[in-house]
Amino acid sequence: MGYFSNIYKGIKSLLTGMGVTGKYFLNSRKGAITQQYPDNLDTLKMFDRFRGEVIMPHDENNEHACTGCQKCEIACPNGTIEIIWDRGIDEATGKKKKKIDQFVYHLSMCTMCGLCIDACPTQAIVWGQNFENSVYDRTQLTRVLNKPGSKVRAGVED
Amino acid sequence: MDTFKLTWNITETIQDWLVSIMSENAANITAMVLVAIIYLTLFAVAGLYLVLLERRVAAWFQLRLGPNRVGFQGLLQTMADALKLVSKELTGTVKADKFLYNLAPYFVIVTSLMALAVFPFTKGFQAFDINIGVFFLIAISSIGVIGILLGGWSSNNKFALIGAMRSGVQTISYELSIGLSLLTMVLMTGTLQLSEIVEVQKSGWLIVQGHIPAIIAFMVYMIAGTAETNRAPFDMVEAESELGAGFHTEYSGMKFAYFFLAEFINMFIIACIATTVFFGAWLSPFGITESIPWLGVFWFLLKAFVLVFLMMWFRWTFPRLRIDQLLTLEWKYLLPINLVNIMIMAFLVWQNLIIKF
Ligand code: SF4
Ligand code: SF4
């Protein structure tokens, strides 16, 4: 009896599959997911989950949330992140404290795996939406993510 | 010139006109050349636009847009592709069997072209109304595989060879199903001549006349036809993820394009056979345009394209089968079903249980 039930199951799965693609076929012109890049540069919208590059957001006081703990540097499987750090005097307590000098990010080596972002305890780094990363000189792909003169936001370390 | 009489019904008026301005022999040759040119044009245009259709349809099935840049809605896209292919260098391997290697694409393309000649596109628009039409089609369609085998073997490349071997296994197996399902319908019509098969369908398309066994035969035919043209989900011959490009790995430029075009023309041919044998060829539904015979071309192409669309639908829905699944499907399922089906059909014809209007 397995023979006939196989035929039945075969035909049924065939029709189910064709139903799914058939629905897509009818809807595609309304909801095609293709973006007409670069025609739509003005209206181009990337998706929230898109992984373009790692960025470090700074607020209006030129402050970021990176404490220089180096968890991201350790988490990165291919050495994309280099944290150059130093010790400075904390104004509030007057004690010596670790702070980043330069957060170096080698975009050319990044696989967009996201391990650094998962590892960061203070959400100091997030995904950027930029994807136009082609340049003529690859040294331009080595970036310093913390802006000049920026410092760690007060309170993130507590 | 009686032997050539068969060719004439396609362009009887042109023929008469030609005879009026030149000698009969010259007129015959001119008419033949004209017919050849018409069919070659048809062949090239159909091939190119089937490729475009495939790409658009595939895109829609996957919620994409497909080519829409070159010309209105991408209509010139395949022209541009063809130009590109013509301008490419024809490379080959040093140790290939040059003669067979160069011969293979022509084998494939000429067989497709020969098959096109026998279809009754409308009353009188048929290049070659041979009295063994269905037999001729089955015979011709199995020659294409020789081209693939030659191409694969002479390339001196293991991927090409494996692809060609698979093609042999596949085509030879599925040829049986095609033959038997067409034979089922021939039982009803009692003739192999395509124009007469159309004549029989004036009292109802064969798929209606033969009801249950005809529908089974049609399903078997479509599955086997898809496999015969080496299209997905039966595209083990090319299987680009396993075999590079299968039997045409070593071909480039126009020689590759011949294989590629032939695949699309073959798909069209499979659809044309089904149209002729199951859906009344150029006959309009319920004879609504019976008084205007040239509209038959429209009906024929409409039916053929619906079937082509069905095959594209298959392609973009199902994943590729494994070679053992392919053979199981043919030898354990399609063939026995076909054999039983042919007996049911024989019984129906004997008891005169077919539906006629
Ligand atoms: S996304 Fe992955 S590869 Fe890129 S910097 Fe973070 S951990 Fe390294
Ligand atoms: S980015 Fe986050 S994980 Fe990396 S050093 Fe700064 S605080 Fe630590």
Side-chain angles (χ1 to χ4, degrees):
Chain A
M1 222 44 220
Y3 184 82
F4 292 102
S5 68
N6 270 350
I7 296 178
Y8 171 75
K9 268 191 243 145
I11 294 176
K12 194 171 151 232
S13 77
L14 191 132
L15 292 179
T16 317
M18 286 173 74
V20 172
T21 45
K23 230 180 275 157
Y24 284 168
F25 180 79
L26 295 177
N27 292 326
S28 68
R29 267 132 302 167
K30 278 176 259 151
I33 51 179
T34 317
Q35 304 239 5
Q36 293 283 297
Y37 181 81
D39 291 358
N40 64 343
L41 269 184
D42 307 333
T43 56
L44 184 68
K45 195 180 140 291
M46 299 308 292
F47 294 91
D48 292 343
R49 284 162 50 189
F50 178 71
R51 298 176 167 191
E53 58 180 344
V54 174
I55 55 170
M56 180 182 285
H58 288 58
D59 62 14
E60 61 275 16
N61 304 324
N62 201 15
E63 288 175 340
H64 55 73
C66 176
T67 57
C69 71
Q70 290 181 298
K71 286 200 171 112
C72 53
E73 188 176 10
I74 295 163
C76 181
N78 42 1
T80 308
I81 292 173
E82 277 176 72
I83 289 171
I84 302 169
W85 55 275
D86 202 359
R87 285 189 201 280
I89 306 291
D90 190 5
E91 291 151 18
T93 57
K95 285 184 190 153
K96 270 194 164 182
K97 202 181 72 174
K98 189 177 180 184
K99 68 173 176 61
I100 56 168
D101 188 17
Q102 282 187 323
F103 186 107
V104 184
Y105 170 58
H106 300 274
L107 176 58
S108 55
M109 290 199 281
C110 181
T111 57
M112 315 296 169
C113 66
L115 292 176
C116 53
I117 288 168
D118 289 344
C120 179
T122 56
Q123 279 87 45
I125 43 178
V126 293
W127 283 117
Q129 310 270 295
N130 176 34
F131 61 94
E132 291 159 317
N133 287 322
S134 49
V135 286
Y136 286 104
D137 181 358
R138 71 193 177 109
T139 56
Q140 289 172 25
L141 293 176
T142 299
R143 295 175 182 173
V144 177
L145 294 191
N146 55 325
K147 293 191 186 147
S150 64
K151 60 180 195 314
V152 62
R153 194 179 304 133
V156 283
E157 276 162 302
D158 306 332
Chain B
M1 285 276 116
D2 243 23
T3 40
F4 291 137
K5 208 68 206 158
L6 289 169
T7 324
W8 296 155
N9 48 13
I10 173 180
T11 45
E12 247 161 35
T13 43
I14 298 179
Q15 166 75 1
D16 294 342
W17 171 68
L18 283 174
V19 169
S20 69
I21 57 169
M22 56 180 96
S23 73
E24 194 175 339
N25 277 344
N28 281 342
I29 289 166
T30 321
M32 268 193 256
V33 170
L34 275 180
V35 170
I37 290 172
I38 292 173
Y39 272 80
L40 275 174
T41 320
L42 188 84
F43 184 84
V45 173
L48 285 179
Y49 280 92
L50 279 170
V51 175
L52 183 67
L53 185 73
E54 168 96 46
R55 287 167 70 178
R56 295 288 287 185
V57 167
W60 290 334
F61 273 131
Q62 300 177 338
L63 290 180
R64 294 183 285 115
L65 290 176
N68 62 353
R69 291 289 161 134
V70 191
F72 174 71
Q73 290 289 307
L75 276 182
L76 297 179
Q77 177 69 51
T78 42
M79 293 286 175
D81 290 343
L83 264 181
K84 184 191 80 177
L85 284 170
V86 171
S87 63
K88 285 226 172 155
E89 186 191 354
L90 295 173
T91 59
T93 43
V94 179
K95 293 214 173 139
D97 185 327
K98 286 280 164 13
F99 177 67
L100 293 182
Y101 175 81
N102 290 327
L103 189 66
Y106 299 99
F107 248 101
V108 175
I109 205 131
V110 166
T111 51
S112 317
L113 194 51
M114 277 167 84
L116 267 192
V118 295
F119 292 116
F121 287 109
T122 185
K123 200 178 180 64
F125 187 4
Q126 184 178 13
F128 191 36
D129 191 11
I130 190 172
N131 61 1
I132 49 163
V134 175
F135 178 69
F136 176 82
L137 279 173
I138 296 175
I140 278 292
S141 65
S142 50
I143 295 180
V145 68
I146 294 179
I148 293 180
L149 283 173
L150 283 185
W153 184 78
S154 65
S155 295
N156 199 8
N157 169 326
K158 58 179 175 284
F159 297 117
L161 187 62
I162 295 172
M165 288 303 167
R166 289 188 185 189
S167 171
V169 169
Q170 184 173 335
T171 315
I172 289 164
S173 315
Y174 280 84
E175 196 68 48
L176 275 171
S177 282
I178 296 229
L180 283 175
S181 55
L182 290 181
L183 208 58
T184 315
M185 306 314 286
V186 168
L187 268 182
M188 273 172 65
T189 59
T191 172
L192 288 169
Q193 187 165 0
L194 291 174
S195 58
E196 279 183 29
I197 289 179
V198 179
E199 227 33 60
V200 172
Q201 302 189 57
K202 288 210 162 129
S203 49
W205 297 353
L206 284 191
I207 198 144
V208 181
Q209 286 193 25
H211 47 97
I212 297 169
I215 290 170
I216 295 176
F218 172 67
M219 279 162 58
V220 170
Y221 174 82
M222 278 320 272
I223 296 172
T226 317
E228 170 103 356
T229 49
N230 298 330
R231 282 178 59 80
F234 304 103
D235 62 343
M236 262 140 294
V237 181
E238 288 161 31
E240 66 278 5
S241 49
E242 301 151 35
L243 294 182
F247 67 96
H248 55 55
T249 307
E250 297 292 352
Y251 285 88
S252 70
M254 223 32 217
K255 280 190 217 155
F256 160 75
Y258 279 167
F259 281 120
F260 194 64
L261 273 186
E263 181 189 321
F264 281 89
I265 296 291
N266 278 336
M267 174 172 68
F268 182 63
I269 286 169
I270 291 289
C272 283
I273 299 177
T275 306
T276 314
V277 174
F278 294 97
F279 294 98
W282 49 269
L283 295 171
S284 54
F286 311 109
I288 46 178
T289 58
E290 193 129 33
S291 48
I292 344 175
W294 56 265
L295 260 185
V297 178
F298 165 75
W299 288 113
F300 189 94
L301 290 180
L302 181 73
K303 292 171 192 173
F305 273 104
V306 169
L307 293 176
V308 164
F309 174 76
L310 191 68
M311 287 166 86
M312 291 181 177
W313 197 345
F314 286 148
R315 170 166 193 171
W316 297 104
T317 302
F318 302 112
R320 182 182 301 139
L321 297 183
R322 274 199 324 262
I323 191 87
D324 62 316
Q325 291 169 329
L326 175 100
L327 293 177
T328 308
L329 178 66
E330 164 62 18
W331 294 99
K332 287 198 182 153
Y333 291 91
L334 294 188
L335 193 64
I337 290 174
N338 235 329
L339 289 172
V340 173
N341 193 35
I342 210 167
M343 288 201 295
I344 299 175
M345 182 58 99
F347 178 78
L348 289 191
V349 173
W350 173 43
Q351 294 292 321
N352 207 11
L353 289 174
I354 49 182
I355 303 168
K356 286 207 176 189
F357 293 111

